[in-house]
């Protein structure tokens, strides 16, 4: 052993001991391993790749909700020598069918929704492409359309299942009789508008053909998913396609499936015989990359004189497109959140002439828990109970829906610890009595939950002769700190310093792994990484602690373990969120003074990143409660708020004190790390906590988001 190796081993032992001591004191933070690359510009996103000869595309979209493209006059556009091609349904390459009709871009003259692609202009520069797009003359035949969701829409039907494969309808006991005879009843309907993901990095792709091989630099939450879809569409073997998504500037679910820019860039690149880059304009995102569907949710709860729930019904009406059925699973949390012996949950959907909705942060749980937790606050008032106590009183001993025990469920501790930290015991329960000058003050609470999702993954760990390690797994970091978490998991399993681990992610030619979504990334990728590193550490020990001259490699595939581990348990993360608001009695302006969240989400792998994720999600929940809103234009079918000047999100001035804490909760029934997802848990209860606080401040119950001054004035 060399002196250098000896020093390295001593350093590793010291750092490992230091990490153990940190864990005992609750501090295991690791700063972003890709931080230097991001601040120096070395991190490359989809549009940072400019292969030699790159051309640029601009997308032209439909301005009507339903109809047919009759003609595209492109002579003026093609008169510009900088314009290389105008691609429409008449000359576009024929793509093979897939199970996602939204990817059949430029394949038909039919227009199914506002914003659907109708032409693509490819030019030498982005400016020339945009000018060429303006020069097109497109004529269409407009047809009658239907774009507005109502609670009694005649097209509503009950689908077979909602998003995530959940049964659309579920019943146990006799809800009607139990509700009718309950001493305390709540019957309320809640309305949520369409919401949009709006990640910082717009959806974009740069495509390069080399003979029959395709490389795409894609703004995607899963390069493997894009590879699979491109393979089907273009009739290629998977190994003939490389998709690179090494750095992604946010997604919130919208980049969790292949989108039109990826397909169009590849289609255009083959058409012009050059690399092509396509980046959507911010205004095009609203119609092309999914959105959270509007929902109309009726919640009925019956309780006895002690506040114990006897009957609970959650009925959801939502919308999808005529292209594809997507049903927001908003009623699913009501099936397992509280002990309710008599329950009914139903999803109904109407297929309208609108863009296809899709995943947006915490799909289902986010809108569904707003309705449920608002109704719980109304029930607390009806029963004369403290809202925290009401939730504790209805804590189930097991999952009411599946009958399984929870792998861990520490919601009661979250509620009690949150109440302690927030100063809830000093709260006057009477609405509209606390003031600070002309400001009405109020506090509210809500619970949150999110399922534990884990997918099979593969990973490769390699020990180099120089004492460093190379880790390969097709994970995706969408700004959430996945790189750092995986380096932490690998270093702990190898019992070495994190600085000795090099990580490669975000390429479809790496060991296969699921996309980043559903708060499942770290649990899924980390499981494979942990296994590969454990096996490598064992193999190294067999080699006397040092790899051979060509290194040592071990692979892991968790498919079998994931399919069998923890299936006997109901697996969820939980939290409690508290809010204090002020409402100006003259202007009805609502501002949040402070937010507090306490969570039980398994073992927290990197506290620094976890706190950032949780506070960021809570701020997004604040935006949902007070600011975010999209209007469907009844005349043209598009979403009116098409940029960040009109679609408002929280800015620094809107956010004061936001605190996130967690309970130490390693869950041995989930994965070797004992971790659960946190990225979506933080948003789930925030909007309800704020809405409940507004009621406490004013005595006015608002059942439609966002809460705007007109929601309160005159009521």
């Amino acid at each position: 052993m060399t002196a250098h190796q000896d020093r390295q081993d001593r350093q590793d032992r010291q750092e490992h001991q230091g990490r153990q001591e940190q864990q005992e004191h609750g501090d295991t933070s690791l700063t972003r391993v890709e931080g230097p690359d991001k601040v120096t510009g070395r991190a490359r996103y989809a549009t940072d790749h400019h292969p030699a000869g790159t051309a640029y595309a601009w997308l032209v979209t439909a301005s009507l909700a339903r109809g047919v493209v009759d003609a595209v006059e492109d002579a003026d556009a093609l008169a510009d020598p900088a314009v290389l091609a105008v691609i429409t349904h008449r000359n576009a390459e024929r793509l093979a069918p897939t199970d996602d009709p939204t990817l059949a871009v430029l394949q038909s003259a039919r227009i199914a929704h506002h914003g659907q692609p109708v032409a693509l202009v490819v030019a030498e520069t982005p400016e020339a492409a945009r000018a060429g797009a303006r020069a097109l003359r497109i004529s269409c035949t407009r047809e009658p359309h239907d774009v507005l969701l109502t609670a009694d829409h005649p097209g509503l039907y009950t689908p077979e299942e909602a998003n995530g494969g959940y049964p659309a309808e579920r019943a146990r006991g006799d809800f009607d009789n139990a509700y009718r005879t309950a001493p305390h009843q709540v019957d309320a309907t809640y309305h949520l508008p369409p919401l949009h993901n709006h990640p910082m990095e717009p959806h974009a792709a740069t495509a390069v053909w080399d003979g029959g091989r395709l490389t795409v630099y894609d703004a995607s939450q899963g390069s493997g998913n894009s590879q699979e879809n491109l393979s089907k569409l273009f009739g290629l073997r998977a190994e003939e396609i490389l998709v690179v998504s090494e750095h992604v500037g946010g997604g919130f679910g919208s980049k969790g499936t292949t989108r039109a820019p990826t397909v169009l860039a590849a289609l255009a690149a083959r058409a012009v015989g050059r690399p092509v880059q396509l980046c959507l304009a911010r205004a095009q995102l609203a119609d092309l990359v999914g959105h959270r569907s509007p929902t109309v949710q009726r919640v009925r709860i019956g309780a006895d004189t002690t506040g114990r729930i006897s009957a609970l019904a959650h009925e959801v009406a939502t919308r999808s497109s005529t292209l594809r059925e997507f049903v927001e699973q908003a009623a699913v949390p009501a099936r397992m959140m509280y002990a309710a012996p008599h329950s009914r949950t139903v999803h109904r959907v109407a297929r309208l002439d609108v863009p296809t909705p899709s995943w947006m942060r915490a799909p289902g749980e986010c809108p569904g828990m707003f309705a449920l937790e608002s109704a719980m606050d109304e029930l607390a008032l009806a029963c004369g109970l403290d809202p925290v106590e009401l939730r504790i009183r209805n804590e189930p001993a097991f999952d009411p829906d599946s009958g399984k025990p929870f792998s861990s469920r520490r919601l009661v501790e979250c509620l009690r610890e949150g109440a302690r930290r927030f100063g809830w015991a000093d709260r006057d329960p009477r609405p509209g009595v606390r003031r600070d000058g002309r400001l009405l003050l109020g506090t509210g609470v809500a619970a949150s939950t999110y399922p534990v999702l884990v997918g099979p993954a593969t990973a490769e760990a390699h020990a180099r002769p120089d004492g460093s390690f190379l880790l390969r797994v097709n994970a995706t970091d969408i700004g959430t700190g996945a790189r750092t978490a995986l380096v932490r998991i690998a270093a702990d399993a190898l019992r070495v310093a994190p600085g000795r681990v090099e990580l490669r992610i975000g390429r479809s030619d790496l060991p296969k792994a699921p996309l980043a979504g559903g708060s499942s990334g770290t649990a899924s990728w980390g499981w494979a990484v942990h296994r590969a590193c454990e096996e490598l550490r064992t193999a190294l020990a067999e080699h006397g602690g040092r790899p051979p001259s060509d290194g040592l490699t071990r692979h892991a595939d968790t498919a079998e373990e994931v399919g069998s581990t923890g299936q006997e348990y109901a697996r969820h993360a939980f939290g409690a969120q508290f809010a204090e608001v002020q409402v100006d009695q003259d202007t009805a302006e609502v501002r949040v003074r402070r937010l507090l969240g306490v969570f039980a989400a398994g073992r927290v792998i990197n506290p620094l990143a976890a706190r950032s994720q949780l506070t960021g999600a809570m701020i997004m929940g604040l935006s949902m409660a007070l600011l975010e809103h999209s209007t469907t234009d009844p005349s043209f079918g598009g979403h009116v708020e098409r940029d960040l000047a009109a679609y408002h999100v929280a800015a620094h001035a809107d956010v004061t004190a936001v605190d996130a804490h967690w309970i130490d909760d390693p869950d041995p029934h989930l994965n070797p790390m004992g971790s659960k997802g946190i990225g979506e848990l933080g948003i789930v209860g925030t909007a309800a906590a704020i809405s409940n606080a507004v009621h406490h401040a004013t005595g006015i119950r608002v059942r439609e988001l966002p809460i705007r001054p007109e929601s309160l004035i005159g009521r």
Side-chain angles (χ1 to χ4, degrees):
M1 181 179 292
T2 66
H4 170 74
Q5 291 171 332
D6 185 51
R7 286 195 302 272
Q8 194 173 61
D9 282 350
R10 285 201 305 271
Q11 180 184 357
D12 283 344
R13 286 194 296 271
Q14 290 169 354
E15 290 200 23
H16 183 66
Q17 180 180 358
R19 288 201 302 277
Q20 288 181 318
E21 293 173 355
Q22 286 178 321
Q23 289 174 4
E24 292 173 2
H25 293 87
D27 180 13
T28 58
S29 294
L30 184 65
T31 57
R32 290 288 184 98
V33 297
E34 82 280 16
D37 288 342
K38 287 188 172 179
V39 299
T40 58
R42 290 195 301 267
R44 290 288 186 264
Y45 295 80
T47 57
D48 290 328
H49 297 273
H50 300 275
T54 297
Y56 299 87
W58 187 265
L59 184 61
V60 181
T61 61
S63 59
L64 63 156
R66 181 177 175 179
V68 178
V69 177
D70 296 320
V72 179
E73 299 177 22
D74 57 9
D76 290 345
L78 291 171
D80 183 346
V83 174
L84 304 175
V86 175
I87 304 172
T88 71
H89 70 278
R90 296 187 184 277
N91 62 354
E93 176 182 349
R94 296 299 96 183
L95 302 172
T98 70
D99 57 0
D100 186 354
T102 65
L103 298 182
V105 288
L106 302 181
Q107 300 296 292
S108 167
R110 294 292 313 170
I111 296 172
H113 63 82
H114 184 280
Q116 182 176 317
V118 294
L120 189 70
V121 179
V122 187
E124 297 284 358
T125 66
E127 294 79 10
R130 192 165 188 172
R134 287 196 298 268
L136 295 180
R137 298 293 178 264
I138 302 175
S139 58
C140 300
T141 297
R142 187 185 303 272
E143 297 177 353
H145 61 260
D146 183 6
V147 297
L148 298 181
L149 174 70
T150 59
D152 58 352
H153 192 285
L156 284 168
Y157 67 93
T158 303
E160 289 186 9
E161 62 181 33
N163 178 45
Y166 295 101
E169 193 169 6
R170 198 82 139 172
R172 62 176 180 269
D174 182 357
F175 167 80
D176 292 324
N177 184 58
Y179 181 75
R180 185 177 60 253
T181 58
H184 298 295
Q185 299 176 349
V186 167
D187 185 348
T189 300
Y190 304 89
H191 296 260
L192 274 74
L195 298 176
H196 295 280
N197 311 64
H198 278 304
M200 184 180 293
E201 177 199 27
H203 292 63
T206 303
V208 185
W209 288 92
D210 182 6
R213 301 184 67 85
L214 172 64
T215 299
V216 180
Y217 301 94
D218 192 19
S220 169
Q221 292 176 222
S223 59
N225 182 59
S226 289
Q227 179 195 48
E228 181 180 351
N229 281 312
L230 291 170
S231 172
K232 294 176 181 177
L233 288 163
F234 289 94
L236 300 174
R237 299 191 308 275
E239 56 268 24
E240 294 176 310
I241 300 173
L242 172 63
V243 179
V244 180
S245 304
E246 291 179 330
H247 293 277
V248 181
F252 309 113
S254 67
K255 296 175 184 173
T257 186
T258 308
R259 298 296 183 186
T262 307
V263 181
L264 287 166
L267 188 151
R270 185 133 82 172
V272 301
R274 292 170 55 173
V276 169
Q277 184 175 107
L278 171 60
C279 181
L280 292 186
R282 176 69 59 182
Q284 294 173 328
L285 300 185
D287 293 332
L288 273 178
V289 299
H291 62 281
R292 196 190 301 283
S293 172
T295 55
V296 181
Q297 303 180 60
R298 183 186 184 190
V299 180
R300 288 175 288 169
I301 309 178
D304 65 18
T305 55
T306 67
R308 286 182 169 81
I309 296 172
S310 57
L312 192 159
H314 193 164
E315 297 160 300
V316 178
T318 185
R319 76 179 188 191
S320 192
S321 72
T322 59
L323 290 175
R324 186 178 186 184
E325 183 185 85
F326 181 92
V327 182
E328 188 91 359
Q329 72 276 27
V332 168
R335 297 172 181 173
M336 49 67 60
M337 197 62 194
Y338 298 110
H342 305 278
S343 171
R344 178 190 299 149
T345 50
V346 181
H347 300 84
R348 302 174 73 216
V349 63
R351 303 287 290 272
L352 306 180
D353 302 310
V354 297
T356 307
S358 185
W359 307 319
M360 182 172 172
R361 197 173 201 171
E365 279 71 20
C366 191
M369 286 292 283
F370 166 72
L372 178 62
E373 290 301 293
S374 298
M376 287 294 287
D377 199 68
E378 297 198 43
L379 180 65
L381 193 66
C383 295
L385 284 174
D386 176 80
V388 171
E389 174 58 29
L390 175 71
R391 288 168 171 83
I392 293 173
R393 195 165 293 188
N394 287 283
E395 175 73 359
F398 52 85
D399 178 6
D401 187 42
S402 68
K404 296 178 180 180
F406 289 99
S407 62
S408 68
R409 178 176 168 127
R410 302 180 69 180
L411 174 58
V412 170
E413 291 172 71
C414 291
L415 287 163
R416 287 178 171 152
E417 176 63 10
R420 184 189 69 81
R421 288 177 176 270
F422 196 74
W424 188 263
D426 299 329
R427 178 184 192 256
D428 187 330
R430 295 173 299 166
V433 300
R434 187 171 161 228
R435 292 175 176 265
D436 180 4
R438 71 178 193 184
L439 302 176
L440 304 173
L441 306 182
T443 52
V445 63
S448 56
T449 188
Y450 199 75
V452 173
L453 305 175
V454 183
T458 58
E460 177 186 283
H462 177 74
R464 293 166 169 155
D466 65 0
S468 65
F469 297 87
L470 174 62
L471 187 64
R472 301 173 71 249
V473 57
N474 190 20
T476 310
D477 195 329
I478 54 175
T480 53
R483 282 180 173 82
T484 310
L486 293 177
V487 166
R488 161 69 69 197
I489 291 168
D492 286 350
L494 292 166
R495 298 179 186 173
V496 302
R500 288 175 62 184
V501 178
E502 178 187 349
L503 178 67
R504 292 182 187 170
I505 64 171
R507 294 171 58 100
S508 62
D509 57 355
L510 293 171
K512 188 176 181 179
L515 58 81
S519 294
S520 66
T522 301
S524 303
W525 313 321
W527 194 333
V529 165
H530 184 274
R531 285 287 180 253
C533 290
E534 272 195 334
E535 292 180 18
L536 180 59
R537 181 165 55 84
T538 300
L540 280 172
E542 294 171 355
H543 282 75
R546 294 294 160 189
S549 59
D550 58 347
L552 192 62
T553 302
R554 288 294 181 269
H555 303 265
D557 184 342
T558 63
E560 186 174 342
E561 283 185 283
V562 167
S564 60
T565 301
Q567 299 300 316
E568 66 273 29
Y569 294 100
R571 303 179 293 182
H572 299 263
F574 295 94
Q577 283 140 308
F578 296 78
E580 181 180 30
V581 304
Q582 64 182 45
V583 182
D584 190 303
Q585 67 178 8
D586 296 327
T587 67
E589 179 189 19
V590 179
R591 298 188 69 84
V592 176
R593 287 192 165 194
R594 58 189 175 119
L595 282 174
L596 168 71
V598 178
F599 303 96
R603 176 196 166 204
V604 173
I605 291 171
N606 190 28
L608 187 65
R611 184 164 281 107
S612 176
Q613 279 281 287
L614 291 168
T615 56
M618 291 166 69
I619 292 168
M620 197 170 181
L622 183 155
S623 284
M624 174 184 171
L626 301 182
L627 299 166
E628 292 189 52
H629 178 270
S630 190
T631 308
T632 302
D633 182 348
S635 298
F636 297 96
H639 294 104
V640 176
E641 295 82 1
R642 304 181 63 79
D643 56 34
L644 293 177
Y647 187 89
H648 295 164
V649 298
H652 289 290
D654 300 303
V655 181
T656 52
V658 181
D659 294 317
H661 303 271
W662 51 83
I663 292 168
D664 186 35
D665 182 35
D667 192 328
H669 306 296
L670 302 180
N671 52 56
M673 302 87 65
S675 64
K676 300 179 180 180
I678 59 172
E680 292 165 289
L681 179 64
I683 190 177
V684 170
T686 304
I690 292 171
S691 176
N692 294 338
V694 168
H695 173 266
H696 185 236
T698 64
I700 299 171
R701 181 67 64 179
V702 180
R703 300 189 180 98
E704 181 173 359
L705 296 185
I707 303 170
R708 296 176 288 191
E710 54 265 40
S711 305
L712 301 170
I713 291 174
R715 294 183 59 186

